[in-house]
């Protein structure tokens, strides 16, 4: 007991600091979860300060500071483990002092990171949900409506595929596109509908170790510690413009995955760049087709998929093979970790919340589906599912 009291006395300042960080983080999170109005106010009045200060500082670096921090952390942990083993084997008189200092520093660092995460991410997870248009109702959509959305997006991708160039591998060419400036302008184009999307955007950062990122199953990642939008540069190019806009949505405080995906689609759709419009539409189509596959007969999915232009299907085939080559035990662990992370941060459906973007798309386009696609939906359903009636 005397040793514990003595240790606390020596570590009073660090323990008080760490305790204050943890306490403040918990209090702010509880308030945000209990009072969505607080998180809405915080996201509009306080959070932009971090983007405009911390974000601007790290934007000066031509590389991802977040990636450098991760690499430095792994190297530091490795050196720490080696040195700790050495100290323990030597059995020096400084072992207790070394372990005490290590514990204090570890607690201090972790508490600081928790507070930073709370201020730049956790509170924003509790913001009230956005709505598509003025319709804030929640309901189940029929297979017919889901099919209609798929047909609508296929029509758009058919038109867009004639407006972009593909390389010798059949992949979207992005060499002539200024990804950062185009993505920022695309996001700002939504500022009248979503005012939070106005203002400053730091340049997106490609990850040097993108191959490792692929094994984690990630196309992009937002860093709450450096306020950077990072993207995987090794994936099929059609992912990249949409992914940058998705991470930019997180950067502006829209942390929920379905909302970030929906905003990324809208931004790409409104972009003057044909490549961005193609990327946003194709990603939206993939999410929609995944939902169609899970909820409908496989023949219905195949009927829609076969109507996609051959050039686009070739790019999708390349992407499937790429992810197949970058999957394994590490991928499964990473996906499970991401699922739990999202659940902890008020997204109860975990990684399934990405697919909830389709609900927002259906709200956005339901009027067009009912007005323009009823006859085509009926024909496809009758041809592929032998259903006598259409319920929209």
């Amino acid at each position: 007991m005397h040793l514990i009291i003595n240790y606390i006395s020596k570590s009073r300042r660090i323990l008080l600091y760490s305790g204050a960080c943890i306490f403040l983080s918990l209090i702010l999170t509880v308030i945000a979860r209990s009072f969505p109005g607080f998180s809405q106010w915080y996201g509009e009045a306080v959070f932009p300060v971090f983007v405009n200060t911390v974000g601007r500082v790290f934007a000066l670096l031509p590389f991802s500071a977040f990636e450098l921090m991760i690499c430095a952390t792994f190297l530091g942990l490795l050196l720490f483990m080696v040195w700790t083993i050495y100290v323990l084997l030597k059995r020096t008189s400084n072992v207790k002092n070394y372990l005490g200092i290590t514990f204090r520093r570890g607690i201090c660092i972790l508490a600081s990171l928790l507070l930073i995460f709370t201020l730049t991410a956790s509170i924003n997870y509790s913001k009230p949900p956005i709505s598509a248009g003025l319709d804030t109702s929640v309901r189940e959509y029929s297979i017919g409506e889901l099919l209609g959305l798929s047909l609508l997006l296929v029509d758009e991708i058919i038109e867009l595929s004639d407006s972009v160039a593909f390389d010798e591998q059949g992949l979207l060419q992005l060499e002539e596109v200024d990804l950062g400036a185009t993505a920022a302008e695309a996001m700002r184009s939504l500022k009248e509908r979503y005012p939070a999307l106005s203002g400053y955007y730091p340049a997106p950062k490609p990850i040097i170790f993108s191959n490792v990122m692929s094994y984690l199953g990630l196309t992009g990642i937002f860093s709450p510690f450096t306020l950077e939008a990072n993207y995987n540069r090794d994936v099929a190019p059609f992912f990249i413009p949409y992914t940058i806009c998705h991470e930019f949505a997180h950067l502006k405080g829209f942390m929920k995955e379905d909302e970030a995906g929906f905003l990324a689609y809208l931004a790409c759709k409104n972009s003057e760049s044909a490549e961005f419009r193609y990327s946003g539409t194709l990603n939206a189509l993939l999410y929609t087709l995944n939902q169609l596959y899970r909820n409908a007969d496989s023949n219905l999915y195949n009927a829609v998929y076969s109507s996609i232009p051959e050039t686009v299907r070739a790019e999708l085939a390349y992407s499937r093979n790429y992810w197949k080559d970058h999957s394994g035990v590490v991928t499964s662990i990473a996906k499970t970790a991401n699922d739990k992370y999202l659940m902890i941060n008020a997204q109860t459906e975990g990684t399934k919340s990405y697919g909830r973007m389709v609900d927002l798309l259906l709200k956005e386009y339901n009027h067009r589906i009912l007005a323009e696609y009823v006859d085509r939906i009926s024909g496809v359903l009758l041809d592929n599912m032998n259903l006598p009636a259409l319920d929209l």
Side-chain angles (χ1 to χ4, degrees):
M1 180 62 70
H2 175 71
L3 290 176
I4 295 176
I5 294 174
N6 187 45
Y7 178 79
I8 293 175
S9 177
K10 288 183 178 180
S11 312
R12 184 182 307 164
R13 291 183 180 180
I14 289 179
L15 293 178
L16 284 175
Y17 168 80
S18 301
C21 287
I22 295 171
F23 178 75
L24 183 58
S25 299
L26 292 175
I27 287 295
L28 288 173
T29 301
V30 170
I31 293 174
R33 299 279 177 90
S34 303
F35 306 99
F38 168 77
S39 54
Q40 182 70 35
W41 167 82
Y42 182 89
E44 294 173 355
V46 180
F47 175 69
V49 174
F50 295 108
V51 177
N52 288 305
T53 53
V54 178
R56 287 182 184 273
V57 171
F58 284 105
L60 297 174
L61 301 176
F63 55 85
S64 171
F66 181 59
E67 182 179 19
L68 179 62
M69 287 172 59
I70 292 176
C71 293
T73 299
F74 276 108
L75 179 60
L77 288 174
L78 179 61
L79 293 175
F80 165 72
M81 290 173 62
V82 172
W83 182 250
T84 299
I85 293 173
Y86 170 78
V87 170
L88 293 176
L89 290 177
K90 291 287 290 184
R91 298 180 182 276
T92 65
S93 58
N94 293 325
V95 171
K96 290 182 180 180
N97 186 47
Y98 169 76
L99 293 178
I101 292 173
T102 299
F103 178 78
R104 291 196 297 271
R105 289 176 178 174
I107 288 293
C108 186
I109 292 172
L110 291 176
S112 299
L113 292 176
L114 175 62
L115 181 58
I116 293 171
F117 177 80
T118 301
L119 295 173
T120 59
S122 183
I123 295 174
N124 286 328
Y125 273 110
S126 298
K127 289 170 63 176
I130 65 173
S131 61
L134 298 176
D135 181 13
T136 59
S137 61
V138 177
R139 67 181 179 85
E140 294 294 327
Y141 291 91
S142 68
I143 296 298
E145 289 168 305
L146 190 57
L147 173 59
L149 177 61
S150 302
L151 295 174
L152 185 155
L153 293 171
V154 167
D155 285 349
E156 291 187 354
I157 207 65
I158 289 173
E159 180 179 352
L160 288 167
S161 63
D162 293 329
S163 305
V164 296
F166 300 92
D167 62 19
E168 63 277 0
Q169 290 183 282
L171 304 178
L172 178 68
Q173 289 188 345
L174 293 174
E175 288 79 7
E176 303 299 322
V177 181
D178 186 336
L179 294 172
T182 306
E185 188 60 32
M187 297 299 289
R188 292 192 195 100
S189 71
L190 304 177
K191 63 184 179 181
E192 291 187 8
R193 182 170 176 178
Y194 301 103
L197 296 179
S198 61
Y200 170 73
Y201 288 86
K205 306 286 186 66
I207 293 296
I208 296 174
F209 294 104
S210 286
N211 194 47
V212 176
M213 196 175 180
S214 296
Y215 280 105
L216 298 176
L218 298 173
T219 59
I221 186 168
F222 162 69
S223 166
F225 306 108
T226 59
L227 281 301
E228 292 174 303
N230 302 278
Y231 66 92
N232 185 332
R233 63 183 180 181
D234 286 353
V235 295
F238 76 84
F239 280 114
I240 294 176
Y242 170 84
T243 296
I244 293 174
C245 290
H246 183 108
E247 303 310 325
F248 272 173
H250 288 327
L251 183 76
K252 288 298 182 177
F254 296 91
M255 295 303 297
K256 296 172 183 174
E257 297 300 339
D258 55 335
E259 296 181 353
F262 177 67
L263 293 174
Y265 164 74
L266 290 181
C268 288
K269 182 176 182 293
N270 288 342
S271 174
E272 295 182 358
S273 166
E275 289 79 9
F276 268 69
R277 295 196 299 274
Y278 175 88
S279 174
T281 302
L282 186 52
N283 277 275
L285 177 59
L286 285 179
Y287 279 112
T288 305
L289 288 177
N290 285 337
Q291 292 298 317
L292 187 66
Y293 184 82
R294 293 190 184 102
N295 294 284
D297 185 273
S298 60
N299 291 332
L300 187 60
Y301 169 86
N302 292 333
V304 177
Y305 191 85
S306 64
S307 65
I308 298 174
E310 185 176 349
T311 53
V312 180
R313 280 187 279 136
E315 191 165 27
L316 294 177
Y318 172 90
S319 180
R320 281 197 303 273
N321 290 331
Y322 177 85
W323 290 115
K324 184 177 180 181
D325 292 339
H326 291 79
S327 62
V329 176
V330 174
T331 311
S332 299
I333 294 174
K335 288 183 177 179
T336 300
N338 189 32
D339 186 59
K340 300 304 180 185
Y341 163 81
L342 294 174
M343 288 182 178
I344 291 172
N345 285 285
Q347 296 186 80
T348 56
E349 292 184 317
T351 51
K352 291 181 180 179
S353 61
Y354 287 92
R356 298 292 293 181
M357 165 194 174
V358 177
D359 291 350
L360 294 171
L361 289 171
L362 283 164
K363 284 183 179 181
E364 181 80 1
Y365 289 120
N366 195 249
H367 63 288
R368 282 191 60 189
I369 293 171
L370 296 176
E372 304 172 25
Y373 286 86
V374 171
D375 291 339
R376 285 180 60 186
I377 295 170
S378 298
V380 174
L381 285 173
L382 290 172
D383 289 343
N384 294 281
M385 297 182 69
N386 196 29
L387 295 178
L390 174 63
D391 177 22
L392 284 179

